[in-house]
Amino acid sequence: MIVVLRSDATHDEALAVEHALRAAGSEPQRLAGERIAYLANGVSQDLVRALPAVAEWFESPATHPMASRPGPRTVVTVCEQHFGDGHVQIVAGPCAVESPEQVDAVASACAALGLRVLRGGAFKPRTSPYSFRGLGLDAMRWLREAANRHGLAVVTEVMEPSAVDAACELADMLQVGSRNMQNFPLLAAVGRTRTPVLLKRGMSATLEEWLLAAEYVLEGGNEQVVLCERGVRSFDPAARNLLDLAAVPLLRARTHLPVIVDPSHGVGVRDAVIPMACAAVAAGADGVMVEVHPDPGSARSDGFQALTVPMLGELVARVRAIERAMTK
Ligand code: PEP
Ligand code: MN
């Protein structure tokens, strides 16, 4: 059950409600949002009706009550950058961090374009064990240093629970990649942190499975989750994946969590990235995430889909123009 308090409920009244829910055998979880609200399982309607601070309650039929709770939309804040506050957040950076110079060049280009969140892989989940698998903690440090020099926040992927603490030290947001969307120990581990999480869609995951993955993180107490659509498997090898932009409006009706789109992995074709980023914003996405490399021809991973720095400039201009047109 979701229990929502009156908008003028005091701190003491909230504590009294928590106490009453606990006394009834539930462990109430505070939900994010403007009003004080709790997820409390196993309590009766008679009990909550009798609590004066309670304004309303909902029996939640959802299998993911936290990811699909009613009420205000969640704004995820990474350093001072917001996802879901109504403006389009553009995250950019290399697929993999390859050297201090490479990541600094990208960070500098991002900052010059007014971007504030830098991505970059240090631990790369690769389909083949013979592909470049990232430079690990050294790469994460170079990413952090480049971001600090240019005033950027950092998002980077974690692949295993044992790496989460180190990543929290160096990054501002933890990415759970497509291949790990159902790595349940990893979801639980990032859910125990208070570092925002970027949860990518599994490559053949339904929206329901994806929301259940988000539920693992929320259930751990971490309410700062951004969903990232990155394409799903299709029958057609013309594109690396089939970018499911319908997921954006469909998720908006099913969850309060912000949704961004990664057209780089979603299509896997450099020249399609800008148009699909524009389409994502037109579909209502809270942001986009794209790969960029100072010299895509020499990239150690995903060079074929990396934007050049001038292309990133074009993407930012076009996305901002659509954003302005939509908010008029
Ligand atoms: C990435 O964003 O670095 C990545 C590996 O993407 P995905 O998990 O969507 O394949
Ligand atoms: Mn990549």
Side-chain angles (χ1 to χ4, degrees):
M1 179 187 292
I2 309 256
V3 179
V4 185
L5 303 202
R6 293 191 329 266
S7 55
D8 62 349
T10 63
H11 178 68
D12 284 351
E13 284 177 313
L15 288 182
V17 170
E18 287 179 30
H19 182 75
L21 295 172
R22 268 196 206 101
S26 171
E27 185 45 51
Q29 298 230 30
R30 174 90 184 257
L31 303 176
E34 280 157 31
R35 302 266 291 276
I36 301 177
Y38 299 97
L39 172 69
N41 293 322
V43 292
S44 73
Q45 299 213 20
D46 287 346
L47 178 114
V48 292
R49 187 178 293 117
L51 298 170
V54 172
E56 51 189 338
W57 58 90
F58 312 91
E59 285 294 354
S60 174
T63 47
H64 33 76
M66 300 188 76
S68 59
R69 64 142 173 82
R73 306 199 65 78
T74 290
V75 175
V76 171
T77 302
V78 179
C79 300
E80 280 156 21
Q81 294 307 307
H82 304 300
F83 293 80
D85 68 344
H87 105 286
V88 174
Q89 189 63 253
I90 304 176
V91 180
C95 177
V97 175
E98 298 170 357
S99 68
E101 295 75 25
Q102 173 243 18
V103 68
D104 191 78
V106 176
S108 155
C110 290
L113 289 166
L115 306 189
R116 290 286 166 260
V117 187
L118 179 68
R119 64 147 284 146
F123 296 96
K124 297 297 302 174
R126 301 309 300 275
T127 302
S128 163
Y130 306 114
S131 300
F132 174 60
R133 290 200 263 167
L135 298 174
L137 275 182
D138 282 344
M140 225 185 253
R141 286 191 200 99
W142 301 333
L143 180 67
R144 178 75 269 165
E145 287 160 11
N148 288 352
R149 271 194 295 277
H150 299 282
L152 306 174
V154 158
V155 54
T156 196
E157 178 157 359
V158 276
M159 296 202 295
E160 52 187 321
S162 62
V164 167
D165 285 350
C168 286
E169 298 274 310
L170 288 164
D172 305 303
M173 184 179 216
L174 305 174
Q175 178 171 320
V176 174
S178 188
R179 291 159 189 78
N180 277 312
M181 190 205 82
Q182 286 186 316
N183 178 339
F184 299 114
L186 180 63
L187 295 172
V190 299
R192 284 191 292 273
T193 76
R194 293 299 173 263
T195 302
V197 173
L198 183 63
L199 177 61
K200 299 193 85 175
R201 181 181 188 172
M203 60 185 72
S204 59
T206 63
L207 298 189
E208 189 67 12
E209 288 163 339
W210 191 8
L211 289 173
L212 284 164
E215 190 79 6
Y216 269 84
V217 182
L218 299 170
E219 196 263 342
N222 189 347
E223 293 157 348
Q224 294 280 286
V225 179
V226 175
L227 301 171
C228 179
E229 162 62 37
R230 49 76 73 203
V232 290
R233 274 282 159 87
S234 92
F235 56 87
D236 189 347
R240 182 176 183 180
N241 290 297
L242 183 66
L243 187 61
D244 178 13
L245 290 184
V248 176
L250 291 174
L251 284 172
R252 189 159 288 276
R254 284 168 171 72
T255 182
H256 54 91
L257 298 172
V259 181
I260 70 168
V261 171
D262 168 359
S264 301
H265 294 91
V267 188
V269 177
R270 178 179 306 115
D271 288 342
V273 171
I274 296 175
M276 294 312 280
C278 293
V281 174
D286 295 298
V288 293
M289 179 163 84
V290 293
E291 290 186 342
V292 56
H293 196 285
D295 174 20
S298 70
R300 297 186 72 178
S301 61
D302 289 355
F304 48 85
Q305 68 192 28
L307 298 177
T308 61
V309 169
M311 288 176 90
L312 179 65
E314 187 189 337
L315 178 140
V316 172
R318 287 178 58 184
V319 162
R320 294 292 178 227
I322 294 172
E323 187 182 10
R324 279 194 298 277
M326 288 177 70
T327 48
K328 262 184 199 150

